[in-house]
Amino acid sequence: MKVLVVGAGATGGYIGAQLARAGREVTFLVHPATRDRLTRSGVQIRSADGTTTSVSVRAVTADMLDRTYDVVILAVRSDAVPAAIDDFAGAFGEDSIIVPVVNGVAHLDLLTARFGARRVCGGAAQLVTSLDAGVVQEIRPGATIQIGQLDSGPVGRLAEVATTLTVEQVTATVSDDIVAVMWTKFAFITATAALTCLLRSTIGPIARTPGGLATADTLLDEIAAVMDTAGHGLDPQSRAALRATLTDRTSTFGPSMFRDLVAGRRVEASVLGELTALARCAGLATPLLDAALAGIQVHNTEV
């Protein structure tokens, strides 16, 4: 299967590089400056031990697209989705399938409105990477991708897509309820990002500080309330697991948005903005989420 990876950031760069390294037919769709870098140096991945490897890849810009692809992996920040859709639309054939690995859930409406639910999968990726000066930092090796259909009809070749995306360091599986998986990940991303960006530390020190556990619990209550009103409430097991993550005194975890913040890079504020917008529509007060988002937006104006 021919694979188009839209975006070469921490997620798209890592997944696309592993697919290319395994011999899959992969093309990156990127902006001109990024194409120049990838053509010159490939996708560079720095492992946790400091070793840097380079994977040669084919990269094109939107005006260079001259074929259609079986699978389009959409791996851009949530606020870049509308522009990305316009960029790759010409490479989307009658039998193409989109696999979005984008934070949040609002992108699903944009994709299905443009291409139809039959050809859009739900997708959720789990990996711990950052992008620093064009180099993908592998904080923890490996990535998992879950995909699944959005409507009651068959999407088609999901098992084949999962097989294509499963290579060394990447495991893809088909989920029976991908929408629930995506909302659970949405809760995880917003909760861990809001807590760490608001209090400017990783999980463990926050949990060990007076008031830290109470802050984590209040944030979790805000997020759970928004998701309940959106019709995608956290089940008790998922909520308990997320609370355990937020209150782990031994944890050194900081999500990608926190790592970007402390490194002085722009932070993907639109993910928290998506959740607070849902709260406003439902008439819910989310003061801690609002404060975390405001802090990130101030940071973004200064970098």
Side-chain angles (χ1 to χ4, degrees):
M1 303 183 85
K2 297 189 295 295
V3 179
L4 181 69
V5 180
V6 184
T11 297
Y14 186 84
I15 293 172
Q18 303 303 338
L19 293 174
R21 181 181 281 162
R24 300 294 194 258
E25 188 175 349
V26 177
T27 300
F28 281 88
L29 175 61
V30 292
H31 296 302
T34 303
R35 179 182 180 271
D36 291 343
R37 171 171 58 81
L38 296 181
T39 301
R40 180 177 61 253
S41 305
V43 178
Q44 293 183 294
I45 300 176
R46 182 171 298 136
S47 63
D49 65 7
T51 303
T52 301
T53 58
S54 179
V55 181
S56 297
V57 297
R58 178 177 186 264
V60 299
T61 55
D63 61 302
M64 297 172 63
L65 288 171
D66 59 358
R67 68 189 74 175
T68 59
Y69 292 82
D70 301 297
V71 180
V72 176
I73 300 176
L74 181 61
V76 298
R77 293 193 173 198
S78 54
D79 56 0
V81 169
I85 288 174
D86 290 337
D87 285 344
F88 75 75
F92 198 71
E94 182 61 32
D95 296 319
S96 301
I97 295 174
I98 301 173
V99 177
V101 284
V102 179
N103 289 331
V105 295
H107 59 278
L108 292 180
D109 287 340
L110 296 174
L111 291 169
T112 55
R114 183 71 173 266
F115 303 106
R118 183 181 66 85
R119 296 191 291 168
V120 179
C121 295
Q126 292 184 335
L127 67 166
V128 187
T129 56
S130 294
L131 188 69
D132 185 13
V135 178
V136 177
Q137 310 284 336
E138 182 187 58
I139 312 300
R140 185 178 67 201
T144 62
I145 305 171
Q146 293 185 71
I147 62 175
Q149 64 186 43
L150 295 177
D151 62 6
S152 58
V155 172
R157 300 169 293 166
L158 286 192
E160 185 182 359
V161 171
T163 298
T164 297
L165 300 185
T166 296
V167 296
E168 186 175 356
Q169 301 291 357
V170 179
T171 300
T173 57
V174 179
S175 169
D176 292 333
D177 192 352
I178 192 62
V179 173
V181 171
M182 293 178 67
W183 277 87
T184 299
K185 183 185 176 184
F186 191 17
F188 177 87
I189 291 170
T190 51
T192 56
L195 182 64
T196 55
C197 290
L198 181 64
L199 298 184
R200 297 298 200 271
S201 185
T202 54
I203 296 292
I206 293 172
R208 296 192 298 268
T209 299
L213 294 179
T215 302
D217 281 333
T218 302
L219 265 172
L220 182 54
D221 287 343
E222 290 183 6
I223 291 166
V226 177
M227 296 200 166
D228 283 342
T229 62
H232 297 280
L234 291 170
D235 62 74
Q237 183 177 358
S238 297
R239 179 164 179 160
L242 181 51
R243 185 182 188 277
T245 296
L246 297 175
T247 59
D248 182 355
R249 295 173 180 268
T250 66
S251 175
T252 60
F253 177 69
S256 60
M257 283 187 274
F258 172 74
R259 296 195 300 272
D260 287 340
L261 185 144
V262 298
R265 300 187 290 262
R266 287 188 63 82
V267 178
E268 191 179 4
S270 55
V271 180
L272 288 181
E274 183 179 333
L275 193 65
T276 57
L278 289 172
R280 299 297 85 79
C281 289
L284 295 176
T286 53
L288 289 185
L289 279 171
D290 295 347
L293 176 58
I296 290 171
Q297 290 171 326
V298 169
H299 164 83
N300 283 347
T301 65
E302 297 175 344
V303 297

